[in-house]
């Protein structure tokens, strides 16, 4: 019996195929050749070219083979091991093609909250109230303006401050905010008032207190925690739950 060279038979063929992919990439292969290689793990000792070509003929294309159901593949003689791999590839491709989720800011500590506000609210109009929606790990899901709620405090033309309650009813404002929390699947939230010129943090907090109190009553009904309400002005901040004025 003559010597069997390593370059002949299924083993040699597979080695050459892998070398081609390593050198030129998979784009240099025909569809049936790509399918051949995908069948290698499930057909360890047999030439996979005939089966690959038969599958292409049956389903019309490589994508047709990969989109076939396990029952359809089994009916054409594909092994269970190969079926498991072939049906997994479309899911992998879909996952790889999906946009990567942006890294979420961690708002789990006061220093991180204040740093987030300093970095992201510099261009937000003064007087606006923001709400930070958080997940169970205190990572930021969304940062939005509080719906249907005005500044609450404003400066008069002569420089004196006016502690004016919002002309809108508090109920709809709280309801809209909680509706947004449900939409984001939030576990907790923090509201932040960007205090206007001519108004102190204490004055802003006094005006916002009815809104915050109503929010604190309503949120637990939705298993939502309100961590705090913070009034920010320049480098100063005042917390609804805290005591006294702080600085960054």
């Amino acid at each position: 019996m003559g010597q069997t060279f390593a370059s002949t038979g299924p083993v040699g063929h597979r080695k050459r195929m892998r070398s081609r992919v390593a050198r030129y990439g998979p784009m240099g292969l025909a569809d049936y050749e790509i399918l051949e290689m995908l069948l290698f793990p499930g057909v360890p000792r047999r030439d996979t070219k005939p089966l690959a070509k038969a599958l292409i003929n049956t389903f019309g294309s490589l994508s047709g083979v990969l989109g076939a159901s396990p029952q359809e593949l089994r009916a054409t003689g594909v092994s269970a091991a190969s079926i498991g791999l072939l049906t997994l590839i479309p899911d992998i491709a879909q996952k790889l093609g999906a946009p990567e989720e942006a890294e979420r800011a961690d708002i789990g500590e006061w220093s991180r909250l204040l740093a987030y506000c300093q970095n992201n609210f510099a261009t937000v109009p003064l007087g606006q109230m923001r709400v930070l929606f958080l997940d169970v790990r205190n990572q930021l899901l969304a940062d939005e303006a509080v719906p249907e709620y005005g500044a609450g405090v404003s400066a008069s033309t002569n420089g004196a401050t006016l502690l004016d309650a919002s002309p809108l009813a508090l109920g709809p404002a709280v309801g809209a905010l909680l509706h947004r929390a449900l939409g984001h699947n939030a576990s907790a939230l923090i509201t932040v008032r960007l205090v206007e010129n001519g108004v102190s943090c204490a004055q802003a907090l006094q005006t916002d207190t009815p809104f915050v109190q109503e929010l604190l009553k309503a949120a637990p009904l939705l298993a939502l925690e309100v961590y705090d309400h913070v009034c920010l002005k320049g480098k100063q901040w005042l917390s609804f739950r805290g005591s006294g004025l702080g600085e960054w």
Side-chain angles (χ1 to χ4, degrees), residues 193 195-201 231-237:
R193 166 72 71 193
V195 181
E196 292 179 285
N197 295 326
V199 178
S200 69
C201 287
C231 294
L232 298 177
K233 184 174 184 180
K235 294 288 185 179
Q236 293 186 328
W237 55 268

Side-chain angles (χ1 to χ4, degrees), residues 18-176:
R18 293 189 180 102
S19 296
R20 283 175 59 190
V21 173
R23 179 174 295 183
Y24 304 110
M27 299 305 293
L29 300 179
D31 282 0
Y32 79 88
E33 291 176 314
I34 294 175
L35 187 54
E36 272 190 78
M37 297 191 70
L38 293 176
L39 292 169
F40 284 171
V43 187
R45 299 182 187 84
R46 189 159 46 89
D47 185 5
T48 58
K49 183 185 293 185
L51 178 58
K53 288 186 173 182
L55 290 171
I56 295 287
N57 289 336
T58 299
F59 296 103
S61 64
L62 175 60
S63 61
V65 175
L66 298 177
S69 69
Q71 294 78 11
E72 291 172 324
L73 292 172
R74 191 177 299 111
T76 58
V78 181
S79 68
S82 292
I83 290 173
L85 176 60
L86 295 178
T87 54
L88 184 62
I89 288 174
D91 292 335
I92 295 175
Q94 183 176 6
K95 183 174 179 61
L96 291 175
E100 293 187 11
E101 184 176 334
E103 185 177 352
R104 294 174 179 173
D106 187 340
I107 315 286
E109 297 178 0
W110 262 107
S111 59
R112 293 173 182 171
L113 169 63
L114 295 176
Y116 177 85
C117 293
Q118 187 177 28
N119 293 333
N120 293 275
F121 292 161
T123 59
V124 174
L126 295 179
Q128 190 176 104
M129 188 190 293
R130 307 291 300 184
V131 55
L132 308 180
F133 298 105
L134 309 177
D135 64 14
V136 293
R137 295 178 294 176
N138 293 330
Q139 292 183 329
L140 184 66
L141 295 170
D143 168 5
E144 300 177 356
V146 173
E148 299 182 23
Y149 194 68
V153 220
S154 60
S156 68
T157 55
N158 62 6
T161 60
L162 299 176
L163 304 184
D164 299 326
S166 169
L168 298 175
L170 294 178
V174 170

Side-chain angles (χ1 to χ4, degrees), residues 194-209:
L194 304 177
V195 181
E196 292 179 285
N197 295 326
V199 178
S200 69
C201 287
Q203 291 170 324
L205 184 60
Q206 178 183 341
T207 300
D208 287 342
T209 292

